[in-house]
Structure formats: structure tokens, C-alpha cells
Amino acid sequence: LTICIAVLLALSAVAWQLKPDDRCDGRTKIIWCTDDNPARREQIKLFERLHPQYDLVLDTSNYTTEKIIVQSIAGVGPDVFDSFGASLLDIYVKAGICWDLTDHLAKAGIDVKALTWSVSHDSIIRNGRVYGFPTNAGVRVILYNKDVFDKYSVPYPPKGPWKWEQLVPIAQKLTIRDKHGRVKQYGLMFSWYHWEMFIRQWGGALFTPDGTRCTADSPECIAATQFMHDLVYKYRVAPTPLEESAISSQGGWGTGEINIFGSGRVAMVIGDRYWLCSLRNNKDLRIGVSECPFEKVRVFLGGSRVSLINRNSPRKKAALTFIKYLASEEYNKLLNHQADWLSPVKRYCYTPEYEYDPAFPKEDFNKVFRQAMDYGSTSQFSKFVSAQVVWRIISRQLELVRANHKSPEAAMKTVAREINAEIRKQIEI
């Protein structure tokens, strides 16, 4: 045992000697753990141009919750890491790896709550303390293909408020079948992970206000899920799982929701502004944007990607410079130009540059993205049950509904029963 310990100590000493210097060409290195969106490269270049004393390094290989927590606790984690949603912030705060930035940002004159969109707040603020700053924000909208609407002489959807009962006949007109009855083009495409937006629009909720009970089996939640099912199997304007798989395998401009829409095989889709990062590559595509329809409540789910600082980082002060950069005019204008959702600071979305970017003259719809933010909301969560467990239960039941293997009512009753069992289990512990 003594020999093993001695060998491990010796190897640790070697590893410490081989550890890269925190400084690169005289610059202090900052490790930023986030996704691999190509837009990050230009955001990094801008930061380094404004702050040449820093070398901002992108780390996309460790961008999972488990890796971030384990590495940060071990003292080898990133300096800055990105997060999304209230439940994930709770996990990081409870793990003790988030640096409390409340006083630091206040000293810099940055009033986070006043500057940023409301859909960002539950991803960075907990118990009145600020743990980060948003990198972007947004809510769901309808993207539509103008060429498809023009081809079949169908008027464009309204940019302002409209109801699902108005969308259905439009989607039916734009669902085109061949002589054998096979669908060549669908009127609408949506992901079933938008389910919570539907239930909220129908007046339902996932949990009671105190989070002690799941209410997915309420009449409102069942009706919303039934409508999603009807879009596929009653109105037949959206693809079944098999049909969606067939569309994806046809090739063309690409696969996946974004690329299926870009290929012209779908007239309308529930999407986001950041889709433009990819859709702009298709120069022939003429896009229109409308608010999502609603039923009883005009609410659109969205959120915010946020950056947090590793409390155990030896370069916290350098990382704080990056957080302040996210509030800068330069970063916010760049992000709006890139269409990487909307800028985190609200006022930069109320400028002529945001509403009309000369580099993209066909994009005359940016006001719609901003307008929808006034009705934005984020996912509900309960402190009595893990968000990952909740979504695993919901996803399993929604897949059965989506495949027409289970009725919406039966599925929602199962969701409520299983989640409530998990809540009871946690309370008993």
C-alpha cells in the first residue's frame, strides 16, 4: 500500500509539472464550457479583441452536467460553464460549484433583473442571489415557408395573436398528397417536447403552485395532449413517427426539424430564432415568422442559455470579465446579428439594427420574435422531484401517444401517478 501511494504521488508530481500554464503568450486563459454552435467562434474573437489580455478557450467536449460538477469539485473544471433552466441551476447551486455574483455585478453597475428578459431570471437567480448572466434568450414561434404559401395561394399567417382553430384549416390546405394518398408536404411540424407549452395554453399546469403534486391528469392537460394527437391522427397535418422518419431519410437539404423545414417539405413549424443560424445557409428559402397560436392562455415557452462561474476556479476574476462582456453593447449587437436567439439585454432588441439588418434584407420579421417575448414563460419544476426524472416519465408516455399506442387521457393519468409517486418517495426520505 505504501509503495502504491508513493507511485501515485510521484505520478501526480509529474502530471503537475506537465500541466499547461494558465498563461498563453502572456495572456490569461479562460476555459468556457458550452455547446459547439459555430457562432461561438465569432463571439470569442470579439471578446479577445475587446480584452486582449485573455485567451478564451472553447470546451465543448465536457458540456454535460455530470462532467461539469465532478471536474469543478475536483478543481479541474472550466472557469465558465453554460446552463439552461431553473432545475439545472438548482443542481449546480446545491453542488456548491456556482460563484455568487450578486455583489460583483452590482458593483459593476449591472442590474441583472432590470436589464434582462424575464424568461432568463429563473436560470440565474435563486433565493434573491445572482449566479450568472444570460448569453441569449427566446421563446417559441411559428416559422413558415413563404414560397409554399404563395404556390397554393394561401394567405400568410397573422403576425399577431391567433388561435389554433385558425391554424388547422391552413395546415390542411398545405398538406399535399400524391395520387396514391401519400403525403408529399406537411402543413405543420412540431416536436412533442413542446408539450408543456400546449398544456399551459389550455390553462393547465404540470404541478400545483407549491410543487407537491403533479397535475398532468387535469382536464386541461388531457385536452391539450389530445389536440397534439389530433394534429397527427385526426387532422392529419403533421407526420406520424414513421412518416417523420421517412421524411428525414429522403435526404435533400438535410435532416432533422430545422433542415426538414429548410428543404421545403413542411409549410409551418414551431421553432426558434436561433434556427436562422442554419437556415440562412439556404439562400433560396423565403421565411416568414408568426407568433405561435394559443388556445385559452397566450403563453409561449422559452428560456435562456446562461453562463455561470465555477466557484473553485483559480481564475474567477478573469471569468468575471467574460460575464460582464455578456452585458456589453458589442456582444449584444453581435448576437442579434448572428440570430443566436435574442440578445440577453432587452434594450438592444429595440433598435433599428435589430429590427432590420442590412446583411439579411429578407428578414423583416424580427419584431415578431421580440413581441412574443412579452408572453414568454419557462418550464415548471418541483423542488420535490428531479427534473430529469420528471421528463423521463413524461417522454415515455408522450412517445406512446405520439405512436398512437396509448390514449392521451391514459398517458396523462400515468404521468401524474408516476411523478406523484416520485414526489412521495422524496418527501419520505
Side-chain angles (χ1 to χ4, degrees):
L1 180 61
T2 303
I3 293 172
C4 289
I5 292 174
V7 170
L8 289 172
L9 289 173
L11 291 174
S12 297
V14 173
W16 184 262
Q17 292 296 321
L18 296 175
K19 180 176 176 287
D21 197 331
D22 288 342
R23 305 184 70 84
C24 178
D25 299 328
R27 298 182 297 159
T28 300
K29 184 179 295 184
I30 303 173
I31 306 298
W32 179 22
C33 193
T34 184
D35 60 35
D36 199 21
N37 188 328
R40 305 287 167 265
R41 277 69 178 174
E42 196 171 352
Q43 294 163 12
I44 289 172
K45 287 180 182 178
L46 175 62
F47 174 78
E48 293 180 340
R49 189 160 66 248
L50 295 172
H51 304 281
Q53 70 272 35
Y54 297 117
D55 174 28
L56 184 58
V57 179
L58 189 68
D59 179 7
T60 61
S61 61
N62 295 300
Y63 188 41
T64 63
T65 306
E66 294 79 6
K67 286 184 178 181
I68 289 172
I69 291 174
V70 171
Q71 292 178 6
S72 297
I73 291 175
V76 293
D79 305 301
V80 180
F81 57 93
D82 284 0
S83 175
F84 190 101
S87 60
L88 202 51
L89 175 66
D90 265 8
I91 291 172
Y92 289 136
V93 171
K94 288 176 181 177
I97 63 170
C98 293
W99 193 29
D100 187 336
L101 305 181
T102 311
D103 298 333
H104 300 284
L105 294 178
K107 187 177 180 180
I110 298 174
D111 186 338
V112 175
K113 202 164 186 178
L115 288 175
T116 60
W117 302 99
S118 60
V119 295
S120 301
H121 296 166
D122 64 4
S123 292
I124 53 174
I125 301 173
R126 189 61 74 251
N127 299 322
R129 308 302 293 178
V130 179
Y131 289 95
F133 199 87
T135 57
N136 59 17
V139 297
R140 311 289 178 252
V141 295
I142 291 287
L143 304 178
Y144 61 89
N145 189 324
K146 288 184 175 181
D147 287 333
V148 170
F149 277 76
D150 292 345
K151 180 179 179 180
Y152 297 99
S153 301
V154 176
Y156 297 150
K159 291 186 177 180
W162 60 316
K163 296 291 195 76
W164 282 105
E165 62 187 23
Q166 295 173 264
L167 178 140
V168 169
I170 295 173
Q172 287 175 323
K173 290 178 183 178
L174 296 174
T175 300
I176 309 302
R177 292 174 169 81
D178 62 20
K179 61 181 180 180
H180 302 291
R182 291 175 299 206
V183 178
K184 298 193 299 180
Q185 171 189 289
Y186 286 92
L188 176 68
M189 192 169 191
F190 63 93
S191 287
W192 282 72
Y193 67 75
H194 297 315
W195 170 80
E196 191 177 350
M197 183 176 77
F198 280 86
I199 69 167
R200 299 274 291 280
Q201 289 186 345
W202 258 254
L206 183 53
F207 296 103
T208 54
D210 60 5
T212 58
R213 187 169 65 86
C214 174
T215 55
D217 56 349
S218 68
E220 294 83 5
C221 292
I222 292 171
T225 311
Q226 182 65 58
F227 179 75
M228 295 177 74
H229 181 272
D230 288 347
L231 287 172
V232 178
Y233 294 101
K234 178 181 177 181
Y235 303 117
R236 300 182 65 198
V237 298
T240 66
L242 285 176
E243 290 167 341
E244 186 174 325
S245 177
I247 294 175
S248 299
S249 65
Q250 287 175 13
W253 191 68
T255 58
E257 271 187 301
I258 297 176
N259 298 325
I260 290 173
F261 172 70
S263 69
R265 287 170 280 183
V266 176
M268 296 179 286
V269 65
I270 298 179
D272 297 273
R273 187 172 188 253
Y274 65 77
W275 286 27
L276 296 177
C277 294
S278 296
L279 293 174
R280 282 172 174 173
N281 295 325
N282 187 343
K283 304 299 183 184
D284 298 325
L285 183 64
R286 294 174 57 236
I287 300 172
V289 178
S290 169
E291 278 189 15
C292 271
F294 68 99
E295 182 66 13
K296 297 177 182 178
V297 184
R298 191 180 176 190
V299 60
F300 314 118
L301 249 62
S304 179
R305 184 170 56 86
V306 303
S307 287
L308 312 172
I309 294 179
N310 175 8
R311 194 179 72 172
N312 299 322
S313 166
R315 297 174 291 274
K316 290 196 294 287
K317 290 186 178 179
L320 184 60
T321 303
F322 175 76
I323 296 296
K324 294 176 183 177
Y325 160 72
L326 298 177
S328 70
E329 179 179 2
E330 293 87 351
Y331 171 78
N332 281 264
K333 285 186 174 181
L334 171 63
L335 189 127
N336 280 335
H337 173 70
Q338 292 177 312
D340 185 14
W341 241 356
L342 279 74
S343 64
V345 179
K346 292 187 290 186
R347 70 170 179 267
Y348 296 111
C349 291
Y350 290 85
T351 64
E353 295 93 333
Y354 168 77
E355 293 178 2
Y356 177 76
D357 189 334
F360 305 100
K362 293 191 293 184
E363 296 179 6
D364 58 353
F365 40 65
N366 285 316
K367 286 184 180 179
V368 179
F369 293 112
R370 185 182 68 201
Q371 173 182 296
M373 294 292 282
D374 292 335
Y375 304 91
S377 185
T378 54
S379 294
Q380 290 182 301
F381 76 103
S382 168
K383 63 182 179 180
F384 300 106
V385 61
S386 161
Q388 286 84 352
V389 171
V390 167
W391 189 244
R392 185 165 64 246
I393 292 170
I394 293 171
S395 297
R396 185 165 57 244
Q397 295 304 313
L398 288 181
E399 277 302 307
L400 294 172
V401 175
R402 180 172 173 246
N404 205 27
H405 293 158
K406 195 170 187 177
S407 73
E409 181 177 2
M412 291 304 99
K413 287 181 177 179
T414 301
V415 166
R417 184 176 64 253
E418 292 187 1
I419 292 177
N420 284 326
E422 290 292 335
I423 290 175
R424 286 193 296 272
K425 189 186 303 181
Q426 290 301 314
I427 291 175
E428 289 170 1
I429 293 173

